Amino acid sequence: MATMIRLELLKLRRTSLLWVGTAAGMLAILVSFYLAAADHMTQYTVAIFMGNLAANNRSSLFPFVAVLTVGRMMEWERTSRTLPGLLTVPVRFPALLGAKLAAGLPLTVGYSLLQWVLGILCCLVLRLPGIAAMPLLADLLVLTGSNLCVYVAVLPIIALAAQFAGGYIPGTVFAVFYEFCSIFISGHGLAAAYPVSAVTMLLERDRTQPTAQDTVCAAVSLVCTAALAVVLTATARDRTREKPPAAPAQKRRGR
């Protein structure tokens, strides 16, 4: 499995998916930069800027990027005609899909590290107070942990969409809807039960101030989501090869 994950990461050099993630990460930085530069009513600090960056990722960008990137990795196997050959090596489809899902974890960490570096540069440009080594390290851990939890939240979508040819497109559209709903659900006291917003109860405690019950509910929500992703991956198969049975030919009756 470790070899398959390494090969999946090496395959990305032949695609533009890394640039898609880089562009999305820079977009989240630009949105946070605009909020800090345009809002003159709030005394922005580095902590507030990094908190806004994590929130923008969670509710706007990262679910879309995760489903698009990993889903396109599987679709590339189909369009390049390598999937039928891989499945006869023998490599089982669940193992191939699991390797691609696992490859998304280091990609998420790299995505978070890039945003953290760009975020520090923006804080220096804006001359925000609060730049110190330990708080910045804590911001990196929160940002990375938040993105990893969001990745876990969208794993079932990727695992299901990757089983169909072109499935990453409707999967990406659903991920946009999925993440957008977290904004409304959080306002009705259900943030701990919704996987995308559950991360706020676990890592952004200074912003949400959750109760012990909220924390347990958020952890259970993410664990159940991860378990669902494992089940979908273990039972996955390439459904594009399945063809509906041909209708029996009807004999023409002679007169």
Side-chain angles (χ1 to χ4, degrees), residues 5 9 62 70 73 98-109 148 151:
I5 296 173
L9 295 175
F62 189 65
V70 183
M73 288 167 62
K100 293 184 182 296
L101 295 178
L105 295 174
L107 290 177
T108 301
V109 175
L148 287 173
Y151 182 69

Side-chain angles (χ1 to χ4, degrees), residues 143-207:
L143 182 61
T144 303
S146 176
N147 288 337
L148 287 173
C149 288
V150 173
Y151 182 69
V152 170
V154 299
L155 275 179
I157 301 176
I158 305 173
L160 182 60
Q163 301 180 41
F164 301 89
Y168 76 98
I169 297 178
T172 301
V173 174
F174 181 77
V176 175
F177 172 78
Y178 182 52
E179 67 191 26
F180 189 70
C181 287
S182 66
I183 300 175
F184 302 99
I185 290 178
S186 298
H188 290 80
L190 298 175
Y194 199 67
V196 175
S197 57
V199 61
T200 61
M201 303 296 169
L202 299 175
L203 297 176
E204 301 178 23
R205 304 180 64 86
D206 56 334
R207 296 164 62 92

Side-chain angles (χ1 to χ4, degrees), residues 8-163:
E8 293 299 333
L9 295 175
L10 292 176
K11 290 178 185 178
L12 291 175
R13 297 182 300 178
R14 295 180 288 175
T15 67
S16 58
L17 293 177
L18 291 178
W19 292 108
V20 173
T22 301
M26 294 181 66
L27 180 59
I29 291 291
L30 291 176
V31 172
S32 301
F33 184 88
Y34 172 77
L35 292 175
D39 187 4
H40 300 290
M41 303 298 294
T42 304
Q43 183 62 40
Y44 271 83
T45 62
V46 174
I48 296 177
F49 184 91
M50 291 296 185
N52 286 343
L53 178 58
N56 291 333
N57 272 317
R58 181 182 65 253
S59 62
S60 302
L61 289 172
F62 189 65
F64 161 82
V65 173
V67 177
L68 176 63
T69 301
V70 183
R72 189 66 184 88
M73 288 167 62
M74 179 60 77
E75 188 65 18
W76 184 84
E77 302 288 1
R78 293 188 175 96
T79 56
S80 62
R81 307 288 184 179
T82 58
L83 183 58
L86 287 174
L87 297 181
T88 57
V89 170
V91 176
R92 297 178 61 249
F93 188 86
L96 180 62
L97 177 58
K100 293 184 182 296
L101 295 178
L105 295 174
L107 290 177
T108 301
V109 175
Y111 176 88
S112 304
L113 182 60
L114 172 65
Q115 285 192 322
W116 181 69
V117 173
L118 294 176
I120 293 176
L121 294 178
C122 288
C123 292
L124 292 174
V125 172
L126 294 171
R127 298 180 180 179
L128 299 180
I131 295 181
M134 293 307 296
L136 286 177
L137 180 59
D139 291 333
L140 173 61
L141 296 177
V142 170
L143 182 61
T144 303
S146 176
N147 288 337
L148 287 173
C149 288
V150 173
Y151 182 69
V152 170
V154 299
L155 275 179
I157 301 176
I158 305 173
L160 182 60
Q163 301 180 41

